[in-house]
Amino acid sequence: MGYTCTSCGEHHDDLPFAYGAPAPAFWQDGAGDVLEPERCVIGGQHFFLRGRLVLPVLDADEDFEWGVWVSVSKDNFFRAEELWDSPEHTAEPPYFGWLATELPGYEPGTLNLKTHLHTRPPGERPLIEVEPTGHPLAVEQRDGVTLIRVQAVAEMLLHA
């Protein structure tokens, strides 16, 4: 599905439905820090897991996703790691966390929003649920977005 960009006037062949952050906002690549595709540890004291924050798209057949990082407790981090490849992983209660990704285009910002991380079957990234508040990201997750919003995000990121 393509779109004509309102910023540059050009036709783009694809409208992306997913964007992701390569690392938590706090990543500094210091000595002893670890950044893996799904897990991150900073200073041996801050623990992060990567997940999918899904927004329903009301007028499309697919959802929009933000690939985000969530700060979790040390205990939950090691529990998730212990069960990473186990089918029992899906029976875990949600882990409380703080959103560790600053998503563009939200006022106020998204850093440190309260979240719940829901584990998925082995091989699938966890789902991230933002605490249901009046924050624009929480509203979008709860109520959904339209293709116009998906296009606005694409244009914002393409012409940042």
Side-chain angles (χ1 to χ4, degrees):
M1 170 187 319
Y3 68 100
T4 301
C5 183
T6 61
S7 293
C8 67
E10 291 184 29
H11 181 79
H12 300 282
D13 292 332
D14 294 311
L15 179 59
F17 276 74
Y19 299 93
F26 309 104
W27 177 248
Q28 296 178 8
D29 197 13
D33 293 346
V34 177
L35 177 62
E36 298 176 347
E38 309 300 324
R39 298 169 270 209
C40 177
V41 178
I42 299 175
Q45 298 178 34
H46 305 284
F47 303 89
F48 304 88
L49 295 171
R50 191 172 186 176
R52 299 168 43 231
L53 199 155
V54 178
L55 308 178
V57 181
L58 303 173
D59 50 353
D61 293 333
E62 63 183 300
D63 293 329
F64 180 85
E65 291 186 20
W66 289 111
V68 298
W69 291 87
V70 173
S71 173
V72 296
S73 71
K74 181 178 181 178
D75 290 344
N76 284 342
F77 179 86
F78 285 109
R79 175 73 176 163
E81 196 168 70
E82 173 187 330
L83 296 174
W84 200 259
D85 294 318
S86 170
E88 296 173 26
H89 200 223
T90 58
E92 283 290 283
Y95 301 149
F96 175 80
W98 300 96
L99 192 59
T101 302
E102 186 66 72
L103 298 174
Y106 290 97
E107 282 298 325
T110 60
L111 203 56
N112 293 321
L113 289 176
K114 293 179 181 180
T115 65
H116 283 96
L117 182 143
H118 299 268
T119 57
R120 307 289 297 154
E124 291 185 33
R125 281 196 175 129
L127 291 175
I128 308 301
E129 174 189 13
V130 177
E131 180 181 56
T133 65
H135 188 280
L137 180 60
V139 171
E140 287 183 344
Q141 188 173 46
R142 181 175 56 247
D143 297 345
V145 297
T146 64
L147 281 171
I148 292 171
R149 171 68 173 140
V150 174
Q151 180 176 333
V153 170
E155 291 175 1
M156 175 181 54
L157 293 175
L158 182 64
H159 300 290

